[in-house]
Amino acid sequence: MFFAVADVVQDPVTYTLMQKCIAEFVGTMFLIIFGCGVCANATLVKSKGFNAGFGTVVMGWAVGVALAVFMFRLVSGAHFNPALTVAFAFHEIGGTTWADVPGYLIAQFAGAFCGAIIVILTYFKHFQETDDLQGKLGVFCTFPAIRNGFCNFMTEFIGTFVLAFVCMGLSPYSGKIGDGFAAFTIGMLILAIGYSLGGPTGFAINPVRDLGPRIAHFLMPIGKKRDSDWGYAWIPIVAPILGGIAGVEVWLLIFKDFKL
């Protein structure tokens, strides 16, 4: 899931690339703690939130995104998503350059993986008690409700297109509204995408949000578990990257000379 206002308000402090990467690592880690954490709470047996439902999961992701954006928006731009980082680098949006991309992507992946490990530690006994192997996988990563490669790809492409396009649409306002409200609008965007477009695939809309926890599911002992569904794993990686690029490009095509 990518979660940044495109043109961030520049803080008087000049941050180094290392500081930006640390912000991307920590922000992505918290994003996964909140997001995969709410999935675990709603899915794993004997948890207080067991069977809370899809609405609770969407809300948990949305609030988690908003909080992470609020913390690090002025440091790194609060991408937390390779789809946004790559799309922004094409036009150096928000000061993102191609030189930033490798560090950002490594930090985002590491943060996503570490966030998933923290969720495992938090719910370790509940994983052991749960026999729903598909549900356990769903704590970490996405899979389609109806498996069709083309339709699943298009769902993730469209969701990420909407995310990038709306982020670009919010960017001219980012210097004119408070930091808290800017983060709130991004949270509302995730909420809308989840409720409106999340049904078919679970709205990954972020390669590392899916890949980092999927690898954690593959590697870590969580009791009985199914395979990590590697045959599907390429879709929430490739489709969001292409969707993010398309969303930025279409916005620039229409509104390149837009002035607030």
Side-chain angles (χ1 to χ4, degrees):
M1 302 172 152
F2 47 63
F3 320 114
V5 173
D7 286 320
V8 298
V9 179
Q10 294 301 312
D11 192 67
V13 177
T14 299
Y15 295 99
T16 66
L17 179 58
M18 178 61 73
Q19 289 171 317
K20 293 178 181 179
C21 289
I22 291 172
E24 287 293 302
F25 168 82
V26 176
T28 308
M29 182 177 68
F30 272 100
L31 176 67
I32 297 301
I33 290 172
F34 291 132
C36 290
V38 73
C39 291
N41 193 19
T43 302
L44 302 179
V45 300
K46 299 185 180 179
S47 170
K48 299 291 188 180
F50 182 56
N51 278 337
F54 185 69
T56 298
V57 170
V58 173
M59 184 64 71
W61 277 105
V63 174
V65 168
L67 292 172
V69 170
F70 183 82
M71 284 191 291
F72 295 113
R73 176 171 167 265
L74 296 181
V75 180
S76 66
H79 299 184
F80 314 140
N81 187 335
L84 287 182
T85 300
V86 171
F88 291 167
F90 272 101
H91 300 280
E92 297 192 358
I93 293 168
T96 304
T97 69
W98 285 110
D100 299 327
V101 171
Y104 268 48
L105 266 57
I106 292 170
Q108 290 160 0
F109 172 79
F113 180 80
C114 290
I117 298 301
I118 291 172
V119 171
I120 292 173
L121 293 174
T122 303
Y123 285 94
F124 184 76
K125 292 300 295 183
H126 297 275
F127 279 110
Q128 303 295 320
E129 295 283 339
T130 300
D131 294 325
D132 179 3
L133 306 189
Q134 187 81 340
K136 284 184 181 181
L137 177 64
V139 169
F140 297 94
C141 56
T142 61
F143 52 82
I146 299 174
R147 193 169 294 260
N148 179 285
F150 176 78
C151 292
N152 303 151
F153 185 96
M154 290 308 300
T155 297
E156 288 295 329
F157 179 94
I158 291 167
T160 315
F161 178 97
V162 170
L163 178 60
F165 189 92
V166 176
C167 283
M168 291 294 293
L170 293 172
S171 65
Y173 299 89
S174 62
K176 301 176 184 296
I177 58 179
D179 291 338
F181 191 74
F184 172 79
T185 58
I186 298 300
M188 291 298 292
L189 172 58
I190 300 306
L191 191 70
I193 291 173
Y195 278 133
S196 301
L197 302 173
T201 61
F203 76 114
I205 59 173
N206 182 338
V208 298
R209 169 268 174 273
D210 194 89
L211 180 61
R214 192 183 296 269
I215 292 176
H217 172 271
F218 175 74
L219 293 176
M220 300 303 294
I222 57 170
K224 292 174 59 178
K225 60 182 176 180
R226 58 157 289 179
D227 67 275
S228 300
D229 199 6
W230 293 110
Y232 177 77
W234 70 275
I235 289 178
I237 296 173
V238 177
I241 290 175
L242 296 180
I245 292 171
V248 169
E249 293 297 328
V250 172
W251 194 93
L252 290 173
L253 180 66
I254 300 172
F255 299 111
K256 185 174 182 180
D257 297 321
F258 176 78
K259 300 290 188 241
L260 182 63

